Amino acid sequence: MVHEWALAEAVVRHVIDIYSDKKIREIRIGLGELQNIDENILLFSLKELFKLNGLENVSIHVRKIPLTLLCRSCGFEWKPDISKLGEEIIEMIHFIPEAVHSYIRCPRCNSGDFEIISGRGVYLEEVVVE
Amino acid sequence: MTAIKDPRLSIIRERIRNVKHVIPVASYKGGVGKTIVTALIALKLRDRGFRTGILDLDLTNPSIHTVLGVDLDTIKPEEERGVVPPEIQGVKLMTLAYYTRERPTPLRGMDLVNAFRELMSITLWGYIDFLLIDTPPGFSDVILELSNTLGRISNPILVSILSKLSIKPTINLYKYMKEIRIEPLGVVLNMISEEEDLKKTFFETASIEDIRILGLMRRDPEIEKAIGSINDLKRTKAYEEIGEIVREVLKIIESRRS
């Protein structure tokens, strides 16, 4: 089982910790493009983990979030095509998205000092409870 | 609906549930030999039969792997419901260098926090006795995150050299840790040569301020040559001296337990 399981564990643990006294109906997950998470594996992991915690009826919605970077040096904003980085580098970023700072530079000024404005990784966007 | 904090914070403690002792190695000043001290302590604990891990949190300049001679081309973590750190001669090692491959990695603010939380939430340490954490110098993002997430369940070791630039900040950091209810194991005085006056001053101040000194390590020119080879590191004078420091650490841990 791949490492998406570990990220799903964090989400499920968090939701159960915070809403232990309520009935959890649905969660909404944002999936940032940068981390290249396998949506099906993440969904499977979330469902399994909810089930293991006696919550079989939580519905899970996933929204893909495109990647946008902002150069802190020159202010340039851009949407890099991660798929062009090659499999090995994509895998590095898959584990630790901040590794992107080792492999991408601002196309305008070549700085590696940029901000990930959106599309980093796994976000818990909303929890709907009764 | 309520505000949602970062879910990763809910799992970090869980990830070190089976780690008996968390020991961050910290210093206010850079260049005092923290990384070498961290590596030697871990190797010595392993020699004594303890299950040991090292986490390199010097995120923009990870270098424990260099000290231990880890070849990043052939060694990488296994993926198994998380990330399992590889064992380097029996010591588990997790470092961002597996993913940044020694390339310049400019990180600041939220990037550092995110890298820290990601590493902490996906790394599966399993059952180990000691987790040594190499930290960046100073007192910013990573140390603050570490204090907030693991603070009170950790026992830091502070490293200082006998320099006016290092002594006072070390004492200040030690006192601050106690104020936020983190109990340091003590201070390692590193790279000692002939600074008798400074040594006397430090010992006097430490006594007044109730600061424990774990031990002294002399400046050892052999260390630089030994970097990259665990076997050579174990043949240095510094490795003998670290033995005394580890003995002291184990004694303190034992006394806190009873």
Side-chain angles (χ1 to χ4, degrees):
Chain A
M1 174 56 76
V2 289
H3 104 291
E4 274 85 348
W5 181 270
L7 300 173
E9 273 184 320
V11 170
V12 171
R13 165 66 59 97
H14 180 71
V15 168
I16 288 170
D17 281 356
I18 302 283
Y19 301 98
S20 57
D21 56 341
K22 294 189 170 66
K23 185 168 170 30
I24 300 156
R25 274 195 24 223
E26 66 181 71
I27 63 166
R28 295 184 174 276
I29 300 281
L31 215 49
E33 176 192 359
L34 177 63
Q35 198 168 11
N36 195 33
I37 291 289
D38 186 312
E39 186 179 338
N40 290 332
I41 292 174
L42 184 74
L43 276 170
F44 169 81
S45 304
L46 288 165
K47 281 179 184 151
E48 281 298 300
L49 284 157
F50 274 125
K51 211 188 297 179
L52 284 170
N53 285 280
L55 297 165
E56 303 205 353
N57 298 321
V58 177
S59 69
I60 304 161
H61 302 275
V62 174
R63 178 175 75 94
K64 292 258 174 83
I65 303 172
L67 176 65
T68 306
L69 305 179
L70 172 69
C71 179
R72 292 187 181 112
S73 178
C74 74
F76 185 65
E77 190 176 301
W78 81 107
K79 297 178 185 298
D81 183 353
I82 293 297
S83 67
K84 287 191 175 145
L85 291 174
E87 208 171 306
E88 199 184 347
I89 293 172
I90 290 170
E91 185 173 82
M92 309 279 183
I93 295 167
H94 170 68
F95 287 110
I96 308 284
E98 283 59 45
V100 70
H101 289 272
S102 309
Y103 303 106
I104 282 188
R105 296 287 180 89
C106 169
R108 194 159 77 180
C109 75
N110 213 29
S111 171
D113 181 16
F114 51 80
E115 186 183 342
I116 303 164
I117 295 180
S118 67
R120 178 194 174 275
V122 178
Y123 306 82
L124 179 59
E125 293 189 316
E126 193 180 342
V127 180
V128 180
V129 294
E130 272 176 21
Chain B
M1 192 191 140
T2 50
I4 290 168
K5 68 174 174 110
D6 189 334
R8 292 171 299 180
L9 294 172
S10 298
I11 206 78
I12 288 175
R13 287 279 179 107
E14 174 68 21
R15 296 292 182 232
I16 54 156
R17 195 162 51 99
N18 299 315
V19 176
K20 282 188 193 159
H21 305 285
V22 179
I23 303 182
V25 180
S27 74
Y28 223 134
K29 190 185 173 312
V32 299
K34 232 178 2 284
T35 299
I36 297 281
V37 168
T38 306
L40 294 183
I41 289 176
L43 291 170
K44 186 60 81 172
L45 285 165
R46 184 74 201 101
D47 276 357
R48 298 257 170 102
F50 293 103
R51 295 164 301 179
T52 306
I54 304 176
L55 171 62
D56 193 340
L57 285 184
D58 194 350
L59 300 173
T60 57
N61 183 33
S63 49
I64 285 267
H65 66 283
T66 306
V67 175
L68 300 178
V70 174
D71 177 3
L72 296 173
D73 288 331
T74 56
I75 293 174
K76 62 176 184 181
E78 263 181 61
E79 200 178 6
E80 184 46 57
R81 296 195 176 205
V83 169
V84 181
E87 288 200 11
I88 316 300
Q89 288 202 21
V91 175
K92 292 181 177 184
L93 173 67
M94 191 58 182
T95 168
L96 199 61
Y98 295 130
Y99 308 108
T100 55
R101 310 303 296 271
E102 298 178 323
R103 295 166 69 108
T105 307
L107 297 173
R108 58 150 115 176
M110 209 52 215
D111 295 325
L112 282 166
V113 171
N114 267 322
F116 168 88
R117 291 180 183 179
E118 201 77 20
L119 264 179
M120 296 297 288
S121 56
I122 65 173
T123 305
L124 308 180
W125 292 101
Y127 287 85
I128 56 174
D129 298 303
F130 288 95
L131 176 60
L132 277 292
I133 303 179
D134 190 23
T135 63
F139 203 29
S140 58
D141 307 75
V142 169
I143 290 283
L144 294 170
E145 275 286 304
L146 202 53
S147 304
N148 293 344
T149 50
L150 307 183
R152 289 179 201 172
I153 55 169
S154 72
N155 299 111
I157 288 174
L158 305 189
V159 180
S160 178
I161 54 172
L162 277 178
S163 155
K164 288 173 188 163
L165 299 176
S166 177
I167 292 172
K168 196 164 176 38
T170 301
I171 289 167
N172 286 343
L173 182 57
Y174 197 107
K175 284 160 72 178
Y176 176 80
M177 282 179 170
K178 283 166 102 169
E179 282 165 16
I180 59 170
R181 288 196 247 156
I182 293 173
E183 198 53 54
L185 288 161
V187 178
V188 171
L189 287 174
N190 197 20
M191 303 183 199
I192 304 288
S193 50
E194 301 301 316
E195 308 95 336
E196 287 307 320
D197 289 352
L198 280 169
K199 204 191 301 182
K200 191 163 165 279
T201 309
F202 187 88
F203 274 75
E204 280 169 2
T205 313
S207 164
I208 294 162
E209 301 281 7
D210 192 24
I211 284 165
R212 186 189 289 111
I213 296 166
L214 292 170
L216 277 62
M217 295 179 70
R218 276 159 198 75
R219 190 179 294 281
D220 184 352
E222 293 302 308
I223 279 284
E224 184 58 35
K225 292 182 211 156
I227 285 174
S229 162
I230 290 176
N231 294 337
D232 290 352
L233 286 167
K234 287 183 178 180
R235 283 194 282 267
T236 58
K237 195 94 191 94
Y239 197 59
E240 272 176 50
E241 290 171 332
I242 220 83
E244 294 299 316
I245 287 161
V246 164
R247 227 189 310 277
E248 193 60 28
V249 165
L250 294 172
K251 224 179 346 181
I252 295 162
I253 285 171
E254 195 52 47
S255 71
R256 283 183 185 176
R257 207 182 301 166
S258 53

